[in-house]
Amino acid sequence: MPPVVCIIADDMTGAGDAGIQYKKAGHSVFLSLHPEHIDLLNDTDVIIINSNSRFMNPREAYLAIYNSVNTCRKAGITRFYKQIDSTMRGNVKEEIDAILDAADYKAAVISPSAPRNSRTVRNGFCFVGERMIHETDAGNDPFNPVLSSFIPDHFKAGEGETVLLGLDDLHDGAVELSERINSLINGGARYIVCDAETTGDLESIAGLSVLD
């Protein structure tokens, strides 16, 4: 059988972090710089691809992710997870667009939160501790300075395509949350940004992946 899920990170740090967490959870993991030969990975649950695309121009980053997803789909993989930087550095929108387009997904659920590292999302704003991300070193990044902490600003799109889900939505329960997101998608939402301040909030979001 092909791997259950493909995770695509834009640098080796993110790829390695993801691999360690899945390995700790008991999964067999394969980390690659390229998606070639993944059809031979019959004993691997999770494949992680380092696209090394954080500092590419947006078009190159889009194509790198799009081509990787296409290759993975040909090998039978249908579930994809895009790891993004918790301070929104890199080609976040372009790489999410690439997965949506190549995998024929209708929408992405987005939350660059890592509570154990003091990265949280509140009311659509991304924080490191109590500082908004544009006030941290990410705002002075020499290659990709983050100019806004409001996540929807990073997903300029048509009316209704970017929406926010607050903590109240997350705490309503798994079935209610799934129904809410399906309703948003049916209404034209493409980028669904979720608040998340705790590991429990992230678990609620992750639970969507196992619901029909």
Side-chain angles (χ1 to χ4, degrees), residues 101-192:
D101 294 345
D104 198 25
Y105 290 169
K106 292 181 179 178
V109 177
I110 303 160
S111 188
S113 177
R116 291 175 181 171
N117 295 321
S118 300
R119 267 74 164 169
T120 57
V121 179
R122 285 178 258 157
N123 300 315
F125 289 88
C126 199
F127 289 83
V128 177
E130 294 301 317
R131 299 171 66 194
M132 292 191 182
I133 54 172
H134 74 275
E135 299 172 338
T136 68
D137 289 343
N140 297 313
D141 189 288
F143 300 101
N144 291 299
V146 177
L147 303 179
S148 174
S149 297
F150 190 52
I151 298 172
D153 284 346
H154 297 262
F155 296 93
K156 299 297 185 183
E159 184 176 355
E161 287 192 331
T162 304
V163 297
L164 292 174
L165 282 184
L167 295 180
D168 288 343
D169 295 294
L170 296 187
H171 299 163
D172 277 343
V175 174
E176 292 80 2
L177 179 58
S178 179
E179 291 175 348
R180 171 70 172 140
I181 286 182
N182 283 330
S183 176
L184 290 171
I185 293 172
N186 290 334
R190 180 174 172 88
Y191 313 103
I192 302 172

